[in-house]
Structures are given as C-alpha cells and as structure tokens.
Amino acid sequence: MASLRLMRADELCLLPRPTASQSSLFNTPFRAHRTQLAASKNRPKFRVLSSIREREAAVKENERVAKGEVPLVPVRDPDDSGRVSSSSADEVGFDGKWPPWKNLPQRYKLIGTTSLAFVICNMDKVNLSVAIIPMSHQFGWNSSVAGLVQSSFFWGYALSQLPGGWLAKIFGGRKVLEIGVLVWSLATALVPVLAGFMPGLLLSRILVGIGEGVSPSAATDLIARKMPLEERSRAVSFVFGGLSVGSVTGLLLAPPLIQNFGWESVFYLFGFLGIAWYFGFQLIEQEEHKGPSVASVSFSRSQPMYMNRSWDTSLKELGGTLKDVPWKAFFKTPAVWAMIYTHFCGSWGHYTCLSWLPTYFSEELNLNLTEAAWVSILPPLASVFVTSVASQFADNLISNGTEITKVRKICQSIAFLAPAICMTLSSVDLGLEPWEVVGILTGGLALSSFALSGLYCTHQDMSPEYASILLGITNTVGAVPGIIGVALTGFVLDSTHSWSISLFAPSIFFYLTGTIVWLSFASILGGTDCPAVSRGGGGGLPGEAHRPVAVTSVGGGVHSSCIIRAQRSLTMAR
C-alpha cells in the first residue's frame, strides 16, 4: 500500500477538497513544481461546481484556505489523462454555453432586442395595409375612407416624436422603448374590437402611432450612448433594418391568417407578439442589473459611458431639461434644416408606398390578395440585403479616412435618386409587363435603404448627447407625409383614377428636391474624418460644450486631431 506523504500548504495548488470518488488521488504523491499552471499536456484540469449548494461550499472552503487552515490539491482523473471527470451532470465547463447569446456583450443584446422591437413595429404597421382590403369590403369603405383610416396612425406618430426624444434623453431610450412597445401592442389587439365604430378605430390607430412614434428616438438615444463610432453605422442599420424584416414578416403572415382565420386574427396575433417582447425585454434588463460579468464588458475605448438614472432623479430634472436643450442652435443651423426637409421627402415616398403598394398591385396589376401581399414583400426583402451592404460600405469609407459628411451625402443620394428613377420608369407607359414593373420598383425601393447609413446616422454624428431630440424634431416633420400623403393619395386616386399621378409623381418630386437640399447643406458640423468630439462622438452643434475625448480608431490608434479639437472646444465653451 502506498503511504501518504504530508506536504506544506504553500507547496500545493489550492482547490476545493476532493470528494470520495477522487480519493485515489492521494495514493500518488507528486511534487509542487508539477502543479504549476503552465501549458503542458498534463496540466491539472479543474472541476467546476454548478449547483448553488456546491458553490457556497466552495466559497467557504476558499475562506478557510485563505486563513491557512485547509490545503487543497489539483484534481485529475485517475487515468492521468489530464481530462476533467464528467461523471456528474453538474460538472460542466467554466461557463455554460446556453443560451448562445449568454456571453455576448450587453450592448449587443440591447441592439438585438431593439432590432426585434422594430421587426414587430413594422409588422403592426403593415398589417392594416393588407387587412384594409377585406375591411373595406366588409364595411363599405371607398379609397378616401380607407386612406383616412390608414393615415390615422400617423396622427399619433407625428404627435409623439418630440416628446419621445425628450423622454428618451431624460429616462433613457431603453425605458421609453419598452413602454412604447407595450402601448402599441395593446392598441393593435384592440383594433378588431373597435373596427365597427369609426372614432374608436381611429383612436386605436392613433395609440399605435404614439407607441411606435417614440421608438425611433428611443433607439437613437440607446445607440448614441451605447455604441462606439466605429460600430455606429452597423448598429443603426441593424436596428432600423428590423423595419424591413418586419414588413416582410407581416406581409408573409397576414394573407394566410386573413384567409384562414379572418382579418381580425392579424391584429390579435401581432399584438400578442409585442406584449411577449415586453416581458422578454424585462429579463434582459434584470440580467444587466445583476452586475456586469466578464463576458458582458465592452472593451471598446471609444464607447461612451451610459449613465443610469432612477425615475425619481429623472422626474426632478423634467423642469430644467427643456431649457438645457440648445433649441436656438438647432434651428439656426442649415444642416439641421437640411435633415428636416430630407426626412420629410424620404418619408413621403416610404409611407405612401408602404400603405398603398398592396392595393396598387391588386388593382393596377390585377393580382389577388395573396399575390399582392407576396409581391409587396419583395421591396422590404431586398432592403434587408441592401441595408447590410450599405452599412459595411459606409463604415469602411469612414475607417479608410473619408470625411463623415461626404459618406452621409453619398449614401443619402443613392437612397433618393434610385427610387426616383425607378418610379419614373414605372409611371411612364413603356408597355412593361407586370413582373417588370414589380422588379423595377423592388430595386428602387430597396436602394432607398442607403438612407440608414446617410440621414439616420447624421443625428448621432452631429450630437450624440441630443441625438434623440434631433431625431424627434426631424421625425415629427417626417411623420407629416404619413398624415397628408397617405390620405391625399387616396383622395387624388378617387379623383383621377391614376396611380402615376396619385402615388408616383409626388414621391419623385420630393426625392429629387431632397437630394438637391441634402447635397447643398448637409453636414455633421465636424467636416473631417475625425470621429468627433461631442460627448462620445459627433461633429457637435454651435454653442454645445464638448469634453476632451481620446477617440480610438478601428485600428487602435488615437486621433490626435480629435483631442486637439476637443480641447479647443472645451476652452471656447468655458
């Protein structure tokens, strides 16, 4: 029988006390230098305790070890193979691999769930554009009434833009987003109940608009606070790209649901999905409140710090925050006015097509409900692909030293000129086949997604501190086409019976004039490739105080020009 040699505690690698199944380990003495944690094929592996009771016992054991009471030894299999014993189901790797996103940085989890919220957002937006066809037949609505019902969404959408940006700055984009999703989901589920009563139906759609209206500003605030400059274009594209995915999903699911279960089922199901998202988002928030883990820490040097505020603190600040916003600087800046008009122009084409394309395909191209919905999927489906290409294109240009303003101008020009050309080809009588018209419109509307790397990034570039409020300003004006344009399209269609005049001609006009204004006046007010200095990145507004920031590029180098500009801005502000 082998004898047990006693060893001093300082000669051993300390680990939890071995169990009975591992007692054979003591039969073979080994020297302290063999216990070093150097890389070798026989280096000791460790047993990880996963149950709560075992973890607590391990903590107590370690406390005793710290006092020099208990020597611990490394654990190896008796066969000396260097593998950790897997006899127990509780003995796992250092960190569980399920769910797959468990070890993702927290900012990626937030961006992912925010994108999912935008998927549901557009599902609840496009469901009416499909359901309006059977609803019009059931309730006897003409195009003007149908246009009124669809435009009511944008009444609430326009009203909630500025308040949404303001609330996002006070309470944080995350809190505003989750409340917005809950409001619009509950209102969506109420549509079938109120459909026979026109004032109630309009009110429910207004509430949907209010809930969805605060979401862009909330997401913009979250991105501006959480994402470093070198990831910002991709973050914006990923989040707002969820709108295209939502359009595709909604248009895919709506026709079979309507045909098999009635048009009411669309509103019930989509409303339930939003409510389920709300409770899922609470779990993400609770996980972050437990404290950052090693896996969730972001190591990006340029990532701005997010300041958590309690509701009590935020409520006390409500009175003073409106005065702190540099309203005068906003409206004295030509670039801001360029953003406002450009947002208006882009929204006109987007909202009118989103609302009326299924009807256009059904009536003008003589497609049935299912065919019209399937064809309507093609533009947002192509947009998903274009969005990923546009974001990589923009980020690569910025990383290679191209001026940020120039990048935003290039992307936005593509986003406007492409659909203008394609709508012109579709509206002129060239004897095109229906599938050719569908292909042309699909290509043009898909390329309009370049705006996510153009206009929609400019708010964060210009001023991350006030990005949500800037988007609230531009999106308020951008919601007006949803109110006027959608209803006006139906009215002109009843009067002229021409889709070219009612749908395409106004969009072409706004796309072309928007391009001219954008190229003439757009700017992030930094004007260089410097990943700017305004509270985490951005060109900054006149009169806005900056703080010095050592901005790190993708390659890891620090832009000294940014530090110099930050110091000068801080000096001038003082």
Side-chain angles (χ1 to χ4, degrees):
M1 174 182 293
S3 61
L4 176 65
R5 183 169 65 88
L6 297 179
M7 304 174 67
R8 296 198 312 272
D10 57 358
E11 293 180 342
L12 297 171
C13 176
L14 301 183
L15 280 176
R17 179 174 295 173
T19 61
S21 64
Q22 298 153 343
S23 59
S24 61
L25 177 67
F26 292 95
N27 294 335
T28 305
F30 51 93
R31 299 182 184 277
H33 70 271
R34 294 182 183 177
T35 67
Q36 294 178 353
L37 299 181
S40 69
K41 69 176 184 178
N42 288 328
R43 73 171 185 173
K45 305 293 183 178
F46 300 113
R47 206 170 135 270
V48 179
L49 310 177
S50 59
S51 70
I52 297 176
R53 184 172 298 176
E54 285 182 289
R55 290 177 185 274
E56 292 177 349
V59 171
K60 293 179 181 179
E61 200 79 49
N62 289 335
E63 291 176 353
R64 296 174 62 189
V65 169
K67 299 177 181 179
E69 298 177 4
V70 182
L72 301 175
V73 294
V75 177
R76 287 192 296 181
D77 281 346
D79 61 0
D80 201 34
S81 62
R83 293 176 300 175
V84 180
S85 174
S86 58
S87 59
S88 172
D90 287 339
E91 296 177 13
V92 295
F94 281 100
D95 286 306
K97 299 297 183 182
W98 188 262
W101 56 85
K102 178 179 179 181
N103 294 329
L104 280 177
Q106 193 68 22
R107 70 180 189 276
Y108 292 156
K109 295 180 183 179
L110 291 174
I111 293 299
T113 50
T114 302
S115 181
L116 181 59
F118 276 56
V119 172
I120 301 172
C121 172
N122 251 30
M123 288 176 65
D124 289 333
K125 192 180 295 181
V126 303
N127 57 6
L128 185 61
S129 65
V130 179
I132 196 70
I133 299 174
M135 291 174 72
S136 297
H137 294 160
Q138 178 176 336
F139 297 107
W141 299 337
N142 58 22
S143 297
S144 298
V145 176
L148 176 67
V149 172
Q150 293 193 81
S151 68
S152 60
F153 164 89
F154 296 98
W155 304 349
Y157 193 79
L159 289 173
S160 60
Q161 292 302 312
L162 270 177
W166 178 45
L167 292 173
K169 185 178 184 300
I170 301 303
F171 299 108
R174 183 188 312 180
K175 181 62 66 177
V176 174
L177 177 66
E178 63 185 36
I179 294 177
V181 173
L182 183 62
V183 169
W184 93 55
S185 300
L186 291 173
T188 296
L190 288 175
V191 168
V193 179
L194 302 172
F197 179 58
M198 183 59 68
L201 175 61
L202 297 179
L203 178 61
S204 66
R205 291 301 293 176
I206 290 172
L207 289 176
V208 174
I210 290 174
E212 295 193 10
V214 301
S215 302
S217 296
T220 299
D221 176 84
L222 192 151
I223 292 171
R225 293 177 183 270
K226 282 290 186 181
M227 302 305 295
L229 178 71
E230 62 268 19
E231 297 178 3
R232 192 169 294 161
S233 295
R234 280 166 287 179
V236 171
S237 297
F238 185 74
V239 169
F240 286 87
L243 297 174
S244 298
V245 177
S247 297
V248 172
T249 306
L251 292 171
L252 273 175
L253 294 178
L257 285 173
I258 292 174
Q259 290 182 341
N260 292 298
F261 304 104
W263 60 265
E264 298 90 348
S265 61
V266 174
F267 298 98
Y268 288 136
L269 177 60
F270 291 4
F272 169 78
L273 291 177
I275 296 172
W277 179 95
Y278 172 82
F279 289 107
F281 198 64
Q282 302 302 308
L283 299 178
I284 299 291
E285 188 171 7
Q286 291 174 7
E287 179 182 323
E288 186 174 16
H289 287 167
K290 292 178 181 178
S293 63
V294 174
S296 65
V297 174
S298 170
F299 296 100
S300 174
R301 301 182 195 176
S302 59
Q303 179 180 345
M305 184 179 296
Y306 186 86
M307 302 300 293
N308 292 319
R309 298 178 178 180
S310 67
W311 280 91
D312 293 337
T313 303
S314 300
L315 288 172
K316 293 177 182 179
E317 296 176 356
L318 282 176
T321 49
L322 283 177
K323 298 179 181 179
D324 296 336
V325 176
W327 300 104
K328 187 178 294 186
F330 287 160
F331 294 110
K332 288 175 63 177
T333 305
V336 173
W337 285 104
M339 292 165 59
I340 291 172
Y341 183 69
T342 302
H343 207 141
F344 177 91
C345 295
S347 294
W348 188 286
H350 176 73
Y351 291 143
T352 54
C353 287
L354 185 69
S355 299
W356 286 104
L357 269 186
T359 306
Y360 166 78
F361 290 138
S362 177
E363 296 183 359
E364 185 71 7
L365 303 184
N366 298 318
L367 304 178
N368 60 36
L369 176 64
T370 303
E371 292 171 339
W374 275 87
V375 170
S376 300
I377 290 170
L378 296 178
L381 186 62
S383 295
V384 175
F385 171 75
V386 172
T387 296
S388 61
V389 173
S391 61
Q392 292 289 345
F393 172 74
D395 281 346
N396 288 338
L397 286 179
I398 294 173
S399 298
N400 292 330
T402 306
E403 292 183 0
I404 299 177
T405 298
K406 183 180 295 185
V407 174
R408 304 311 180 202
K409 285 185 176 182
I410 292 172
C411 292
Q412 191 61 40
S413 297
I414 296 173
F416 274 5
L417 293 178
I421 294 171
C422 293
M423 285 184 180
T424 302
L425 294 175
S426 300
S427 59
V428 177
D429 187 7
L430 300 177
L432 299 175
E433 295 292 330
W435 66 267
E436 293 175 320
V437 175
V438 170
I440 291 173
L441 287 175
T442 297
L445 294 175
L447 288 172
S448 66
S449 296
F450 265 84
L452 296 180
S453 297
L455 169 67
Y456 285 89
C457 283
T458 310
H459 306 82
Q460 295 99 341
D461 294 335
M462 183 175 289
S463 175
E465 178 70 13
Y466 299 108
S468 60
I469 293 180
L470 277 173
L471 184 63
I473 294 172
T474 64
N475 224 14
T476 297
V477 180
V480 173
I483 301 171
I484 300 175
V486 174
L488 184 63
T489 300
F491 176 77
V492 175
L493 182 61
D494 276 341
S495 303
T496 64
H497 303 286
S498 171
W499 285 100
S500 297
I501 296 175
S502 61
L503 180 60
F504 295 130
S507 297
I508 294 170
F509 170 80
F510 286 119
Y511 279 140
L512 294 178
T513 57
T515 302
I516 295 172
V517 171
W518 183 256
L519 291 177
S520 300
F521 301 104
S523 173
I524 67 163
L525 300 182
T528 72
D529 60 344
C530 169
V533 294
S534 172
R535 301 182 188 270
L541 290 161
E544 181 182 351
H546 306 300
R547 57 180 178 174
V549 180
V551 183
T552 305
S553 66
V554 178
V558 178
H559 293 271
S560 59
S561 60
C562 294
I563 301 176
I564 295 172
R565 183 184 299 173
Q567 292 171 341
R568 288 176 180 173
S569 300
L570 183 62
T571 303
M572 294 174 64
R574 289 176 178 173

